[in-house]
Structures are given as structure tokens and as C-alpha cells.
Amino acid sequence: MNLTAHDIIIRPIITEKSSSLMAMNKYTFEVHKTANKIQIAKAVEEVFNVKVAGVNTINVKGKTKRRGRTVGKTNSYKKAIVKLAAGETIEFFSA
């Protein structure tokens, strides 16, 4: 399966913890489940035009949720924390 850069990066993950990581030049993304660290680094460099210093990945399991009698699960996904080279930034909230 041939993935493009936009197929690999699904969306940025914006939470309190990921916002505090941005101060350390680390950005969090939801990525395609089959993408490896090298593919993720190349995709971020291509899409955002920055230099990547390192990538850490985490497989996040879906949580069990209840709504009355019905029990279900949220989707599992893969998360990547991308560290950028010194002096590089990604602007998510540009006006």
C-alpha cells in the first residue's frame, strides 16, 4: 500500500498535554496505523516544510464506553510525537 504524506498524517492532537509539549518543540499527530517512524518524519517534513529531529510513536487502545445498556468501544489509533530541529516551528493557529 502506497501512502502519501496526507494519508499518513490524519490530524494534529490538541490537548493540554500536547500544548505544553509544543513549548519543547514537540508536536503530536494522529497517524495512519501502518506508518513507521521514517514515513511519519518524511510526511511531516513534506507537509509542514520543517526539519524533524526525532519521532516517538504510541498505539492508543480504544476505551470501553457505556450509554445506558449499550456498551461499545472508541476507535484505536496510532499517535506520533514529532520533535523538530532547533529553530523550527509549526503554526496550527495562524489567523
Side-chain angles (χ1 to χ4, degrees), residues 2 5 12 15 19-20 25-26 28-29 38 40 56-57 60 64 73 75-76 81 83 85 89 92-93 95:
N2 218 359
T15 60
S19 296
S20 65
N25 223 12
K26 294 181 181 181
T28 309
F29 298 96
I38 296 165
I40 294 166
N56 292 329
T57 58
V60 181
T64 303
K73 276 189 147 266
N75 291 336
S76 298
I81 299 174
K83 181 164 175 53
T89 57
F92 289 126
F93 311 109

Side-chain angles (χ1 to χ4, degrees), residues 2-71:
N2 218 359
L3 296 172
T4 65
H6 291 283
D7 290 335
I8 292 171
I9 300 172
I10 297 171
R11 67 183 179 96
I13 297 175
I14 310 296
T15 60
E16 255 186 81
K17 188 171 183 176
S18 70
S19 296
S20 65
L21 284 175
M22 287 181 198
M24 295 185 290
N25 223 12
K26 294 181 181 181
Y27 295 85
T28 309
F29 298 96
E30 181 181 339
V31 295
H32 196 274
K33 280 192 171 204
T34 61
N36 61 33
K37 291 181 181 187
I38 296 165
Q39 291 172 323
I40 294 166
K42 286 181 181 176
V44 170
E45 287 177 351
E46 183 181 325
V47 171
F48 296 104
N49 199 23
V50 292
K51 182 76 177 130
V52 173
V55 178
N56 292 329
T57 58
I58 304 107
N59 284 311
V60 181
K61 292 183 180 176
K63 294 181 181 177
T64 303
K65 297 284 186 174
R66 288 182 56 108
R67 190 166 188 106
R69 284 194 281 180
T70 308
V71 178

